Amino acid sequence: MKHCLSLQDFSADEVTHLVRLALKIKKNPQQYNQLLRGRWLLMLFQKSSTRTRLSFEMGIKQLGGNSVVMDWDASNFAISPIRYEARYVSQHAHLIMARLKTHTDLLKLAEYSRVPVINGCDDTFHPCQALADLTTVFETAGTFQHQTLCYVGIHNNVANSLALGCARAGVHLILVTPEANKPAHKTEMLDKLEADGHLSRTLDVKQAIAKAGFVYTDTWVDMEFFKDPAYQDEKERRLKTMLPYQLNRENMGDSDAYILHDMPIHPGYEITEDLVESPRSLIYRQAENRLYAQQALALHLLDTPLP
Ligand code: CP
């Protein structure tokens, strides 16, 4: 049984297969619309979501399957060891997607689940997002060859998953990440990817953007802290430190790179409104591709014969 806890769980061939399959489903959805008939997806949420919730729920239904949503904190996952609850819920589902606060809890869930578990974003990885991002790069460029993606922002779960995904796809990644979310910073993994030539790191934002065909940013403050009064001082400090790294016209210079953002967007912080709405913005296509990338992932994890 295979899980998707991070893109470390997938080979280069598997990542390419998932991206190609996602685009095939997008082109001909009717060929896939009964493949998961009778299958149930359980979605566990410990944090809020718009895209992950909608795209998984619609995605599984479009493949002929069904889904149930469970709020972690309103369930007994909140008051009992994960191993017992995981064994129980996985008797009723064929697939689990979990958005949990910590990767440690996700690993426990997967250890005791009887069915494949998909990481719907935790403090360390966001593999579904990276699969959708790579699908968008491939759809736009027609190839992964000679593609460079520059990620500018806080080093977080999205940056980790991009690092792994780009390495597998053969897309060169430039990281411009002056600050890191501490639990997310996988120093050893990043050092190895850099030593192997898959990524480079710099703080020269203008030079990095000038080298890239795709420029990507994400929130400077994680969703669970954005409105937390206890986090306000750190939020203010971060905003000041990160402002020189905002995606804006000045930092873009003469670049006509495509603009990526995994959403939710905080205009005026990590990106200016004009870039969100610019003709080079792929942000909504990238968000739309979550659905197809996750459909491909579900079919793959469930070993579904393809048409
Ligand atoms: N990008 C992303 O995961 O969006 P949500 O947090 O809305 O699910």
Side-chain angles (χ1 to χ4, degrees):
M1 181 175 69
K2 191 173 178 71
H3 300 295
C4 174
L5 307 180
S6 86
L7 292 183
Q8 275 161 327
D9 297 328
F10 295 88
S11 65
D13 282 350
E14 279 177 301
V15 167
T16 308
H17 164 72
L18 289 171
V19 165
R20 287 180 182 274
L21 179 57
L23 292 173
K24 279 187 193 166
I25 299 170
K26 187 173 183 178
K27 205 167 170 193
N28 283 309
Q30 67 288 350
Q31 285 192 348
Y32 300 84
N33 67 11
Q34 293 302 313
L35 295 190
L36 293 189
R37 200 160 35 143
R39 305 292 188 102
W40 284 87
L41 168 72
L42 172 67
M43 298 193 282
L44 283 169
F45 284 99
Q46 200 177 21
K47 296 196 285 183
S48 63
S49 165
T50 303
R51 277 144 293 276
T52 304
R53 161 101 195 236
L54 188 64
S55 56
F56 267 103
E57 187 154 359
M58 291 186 70
I60 202 83
K61 287 207 164 75
Q62 289 175 7
L63 295 176
N66 288 292
S67 63
V68 174
V69 179
M70 193 173 271
D71 174 352
W72 182 276
D73 290 321
S75 77
N76 288 333
F77 272 103
I79 60 164
S80 180
I82 290 172
R83 60 184 181 275
Y84 301 126
E85 299 298 281
R87 274 152 65 186
Y88 164 67
V89 298
S90 60
Q91 293 179 135
H92 290 297
H94 299 93
L95 192 59
I96 295 175
M97 186 286 298
R99 169 167 284 195
L100 304 190
K101 287 183 180 161
T102 70
H103 194 62
T104 315
D105 278 353
L106 185 84
L107 293 177
K108 274 188 221 152
L109 178 71
E111 185 182 348
Y112 291 98
S113 170
R114 297 163 195 230
V115 299
V117 172
I118 297 172
N119 183 353
C121 182
D122 60 30
D123 60 354
T124 313
F125 295 109
H126 197 352
C128 297
Q129 184 62 54
L131 287 174
D133 302 339
L134 290 169
T135 301
T136 310
V137 168
F138 194 90
E139 184 181 34
T140 307
T143 177
F144 285 135
Q145 273 195 328
H146 309 302
Q147 300 305 314
T148 298
L149 191 155
C150 172
Y151 174 89
V152 184
I154 296 280
H155 190 97
N156 60 8
N157 43 14
V158 168
N160 279 336
S161 291
L162 274 177
L164 288 167
C166 286
R168 278 149 181 73
V171 171
H172 187 73
L173 178 67
I174 307 174
L175 290 173
V176 184
T177 53
E179 294 254 336
N181 286 346
K182 293 292 177 261
H185 200 267
K186 305 287 285 176
T187 309
E188 222 172 276
M189 178 191 94
L190 295 167
D191 289 348
K192 168 101 176 62
L193 290 172
E194 186 166 24
D196 292 345
H198 295 301
L199 67 82
S200 42
R201 288 180 273 193
T202 177
L203 290 182
D204 189 333
V205 63
K206 288 183 184 168
Q207 212 175 68
I209 287 174
K211 290 180 185 162
F214 296 84
V215 180
Y216 193 139
T217 192
D218 187 15
T219 183
W220 294 336
V221 178
D222 269 5
M223 60 179 82
E224 62 266 47
F225 301 125
F226 210 83
K227 290 184 177 160
D228 181 352
Y231 197 78
Q232 286 313 298
D233 286 351
E234 173 60 9
K235 183 175 162 185
E236 291 309 317
R237 190 196 65 76
R238 276 193 176 197
L239 299 186
K240 223 189 229 166
T241 309
M242 294 303 296
L243 208 55
Y245 299 90
Q246 183 185 59
L247 277 199
N248 56 33
R249 289 278 171 210
E250 196 203 327
N251 279 335
M252 290 297 290
D254 294 332
S255 166
D256 67 348
Y258 290 106
I259 306 292
L260 298 171
H261 188 307
D262 55 310
M263 304 178 92
I265 295 164
H266 305 96
Y269 293 97
E270 71 271 8
I271 189 167
T272 50
E273 183 92 44
D274 61 322
L275 290 185
V276 175
E277 302 299 344
S278 84
R280 302 298 279 178
S281 168
L282 298 177
I283 294 172
Y284 290 101
R285 189 195 289 187
Q286 181 188 1
E288 181 196 357
N289 284 338
R290 287 287 302 274
L291 185 137
Y292 306 110
Q294 291 158 191
Q295 287 179 325
L297 181 61
L299 293 171
H300 184 64
L301 293 179
L302 292 171
D303 266 333
T304 314
L306 297 173

